[in-house]
Amino acid sequence: MSNAAYRLAPVAVLAAVTAGSAVAAPQATAHTITAVTVTPGLGGGFGTGCTYQVSATVDADAYRITFLDNDYPIRGNQNLQVSGNTASLAWTPSTTGTHVITALFTVADQAPVSTTVQVDSTGLNLGSACFAQ
């Protein structure tokens, strides 16, 4: 065998190992957000100044979620870890009207999921309870 053949042999082995590794690598699984919910306050309505629980249900714990209110990040929610297939945060609307609450994966390319909430009134916050008037 010539010196050139000896020099090329390790390259051929490396190429074969690399090709085999690519075939044996696990395939990425696409995970989805299955629901976004906003828990209404007493009386079932929504009011400004009251705080509500916003949750996203996800089919895997390994991701982080970001929540948006009308396309703006909700304060304090960047990269929330999904735990028990849910990511949640407290949301206090500051304006009346229609609010589109969206959950999306922080890193993945999966489709966001939204729900619409109508904030009809100014909330009356009594400390331990908040009523939408």
Side-chain angles (χ1 to χ4, degrees):
M1 192 184 253
S2 72
N3 283 341
Y6 282 115
R7 285 188 300 241
L8 292 177
V11 172
V13 170
L14 179 60
V17 169
T18 303
S21 296
V23 171
Q27 297 297 316
T29 304
H31 293 290
T32 58
I33 299 168
T34 57
V36 174
T37 57
V38 182
T39 305
L42 298 172
F46 296 95
T48 60
C50 293
T51 300
Y52 305 97
Q53 173 106 2
V54 176
S55 299
T57 305
V58 183
D59 66 356
D61 280 354
Y63 289 91
R64 294 186 178 273
I65 297 290
T66 294
F67 288 99
L68 307 175
D69 175 2
N70 292 336
D71 294 327
Y72 291 97
I74 295 174
R75 183 178 298 200
N77 85 76
Q78 301 303 314
N79 297 316
L80 291 173
Q81 179 67 46
V82 175
S83 177
N85 292 45
T86 304
S88 299
L89 80 142
W91 168 66
T92 306
S94 59
T95 61
T96 58
T98 302
H99 293 261
V100 178
I101 306 298
T102 303
L104 54 98
F105 289 113
T106 304
V107 178
D109 256 350
Q110 307 305 319
V113 175
S114 299
T115 190
T116 301
V117 174
Q118 188 64 37
V119 178
D120 288 325
S121 63
T122 301
L124 176 60
N125 194 335
L126 302 175
S128 61
C130 192
F131 298 93
Q133 301 180 35

